[in-house]
Amino acid sequence: MDIDLLKTFVEVVKTRHFGRAAENLYITQSAVSFRIRQLEQSLGVNLFIRQRNNIQLTAPGERLLPHATMILTGMQRAKVDVALANNMHKQLSLSGTPNIWDAFLQFGINNIVAAMPGVSLVAEVKAQQESTRLLLERTLDLAVLFDPPKVDELVVKSIRDLPIIPVSTFECEDALAFFNNQYVYVDWGTAFSLWHAKQFSGTTPPYFRTSTGRIALDLIMQCGGSAFIPQALARDMIEQGKLFHIECVDQVSREIFIAYHKDNEQKEQIETITSLLMSLK
């Protein structure tokens, strides 16, 4: 199957628009339409429901998407592996969710790169479900996650707890003031949601919700407000007096895990990364 056809298919899925897909691929819109027709003809199915300003995947299109993504990821990794062969380098791929990168991994990636000069590191932002799937497909070496996958083929290790503290641009005297001052709710996963609902039921609903701590921090710094933010992410702002750690409100921590396939051949490199991540302050 032509890789360009799969690339075009995935781009149309991302943009839900043939014109924008064409711009991103640097081809004409008619070329995008032609490639999609070619792919549909080769598979004998319709991949999209085409309505004006509303392109949706069909059931066969939904089934094709994870396979197309896997093939493209595998091809990209194969190209890198071949290119590195002459230098006798190894490649290792690492993923984390957006919150993991913002709150934790960004503080350790320089140490990882410096400690592994013979390894070409591929670092990506991926959702929990996608990371688990890629680990099982052996196209991802290591995932750093809040919620550990319960899969027999994967090795999962707890590496540390991440303190998440209540902070505000206002000096709040009590929990009521914390939640009444433009409170931003950050989704730190299932365990946090359950804890939050139990601890703070009956408080004022948040005026903004987000799944990313960085978005919440940027928002309250620009507009004022309160949120639960990782201590490492808020530390500088607190020291500069731009944020207040609201100690009268309970704080929580999230456990961070690493996961990798039990048959991964790069366990030495994975153990090195694990040690470096565990030593982060």
Side-chain angles (χ1 to χ4, degrees):
M1 187 178 293
D2 192 331
I3 292 297
D4 287 335
L5 302 187
L6 292 179
K7 286 182 180 178
T8 305
F9 167 71
V10 171
E11 195 60 41
V12 172
V13 173
K14 288 180 180 178
T15 61
R16 301 288 174 165
H17 194 279
F18 277 44
R20 286 194 288 271
E23 292 175 3
N24 293 344
L25 294 169
Y26 300 100
I27 59 177
T28 64
Q29 185 169 337
S30 60
V32 169
S33 299
F34 179 70
R35 287 181 180 182
I36 295 299
R37 283 198 302 272
Q38 277 189 301
L39 186 58
E40 289 178 328
Q41 289 170 3
S42 68
L43 295 172
V45 297
N46 291 325
L47 298 172
F48 294 100
I49 300 171
R50 296 167 175 82
Q51 299 176 350
R52 186 174 182 179
N53 297 324
N54 185 22
I55 297 176
Q56 300 294 327
L57 280 171
T58 62
E62 294 279 4
R63 296 293 294 270
L64 175 62
L65 181 58
H67 296 290
T69 304
M70 179 184 68
I71 291 170
L72 293 175
T73 301
M75 285 295 297
Q76 181 61 35
R77 185 164 187 182
K79 289 179 180 179
V80 175
D81 281 341
V82 171
L84 291 171
N86 287 337
N87 296 323
M88 299 299 290
H89 281 190
K90 293 184 178 181
Q91 181 188 4
L92 190 140
S93 54
L94 165 72
S95 78
T97 61
N99 264 335
I100 288 284
W101 277 107
D102 288 343
F104 178 61
L105 280 177
Q106 66 162 315
F107 301 106
I109 196 66
N110 291 342
N111 294 341
I112 292 172
V113 172
M116 307 179 75
V119 175
S120 174
L121 186 67
V122 178
E124 300 176 295
V125 177
K126 293 189 180 295
Q128 166 98 15
Q129 294 83 353
E130 184 182 8
S131 291
T132 301
R133 176 174 57 81
L134 294 175
L135 287 172
L136 293 172
E137 292 170 355
R138 311 285 291 277
T139 56
L140 178 68
D141 293 305
L142 181 66
V144 186
L145 308 162
F146 280 136
D147 299 307
K150 296 178 173 60
V151 183
D152 291 340
E153 291 87 346
L154 301 182
V155 176
V156 178
K157 296 180 180 179
S158 173
I159 57 172
R160 68 178 300 144
D161 285 330
L162 179 74
I164 300 174
I165 63 174
V167 298
S168 180
T169 56
F170 306 101
E171 293 188 74
C172 304
E173 296 180 355
D174 53 31
L176 186 62
F178 175 80
F179 287 102
N180 283 341
N181 277 305
Q182 299 184 164
Y183 175 60
V184 177
Y185 178 85
V186 185
D187 183 4
W188 291 106
T190 303
F192 175 82
S193 297
L194 294 173
W195 173 83
H196 189 279
K198 183 178 179 180
Q199 295 290 322
F200 309 111
S201 60
T203 56
T204 303
Y207 94 110
F208 190 85
R209 291 175 178 267
T210 178
S211 61
T212 307
R214 172 58 68 180
I215 292 175
L217 180 60
D218 290 345
L219 179 65
I220 66 175
M221 293 307 302
Q222 292 180 32
C223 303
S226 308
F228 283 92
I229 301 294
Q231 189 172 19
L233 201 59
R235 183 182 296 118
D236 289 345
M237 297 295 184
I238 293 173
E239 291 176 353
Q240 295 167 20
K242 297 178 180 179
L243 274 181
F244 299 100
H245 178 189
I246 310 303
E247 297 183 3
C248 61
V249 177
D250 290 339
Q251 68 179 57
V252 69
S253 64
R254 284 304 322 261
E255 196 170 5
I256 297 177
F257 300 86
I258 61 156
Y260 58 92
H261 200 284
K262 65 181 182 181
D263 294 328
N264 194 300
E265 297 178 354
Q266 303 198 75
K267 290 183 181 178
E268 181 180 348
Q269 288 75 28
I270 290 173
E271 288 175 0
T272 298
I273 291 178
T274 300
S275 297
L276 289 169
L277 293 178
M278 292 178 71
S279 66
L280 281 180
K281 298 181 179 179

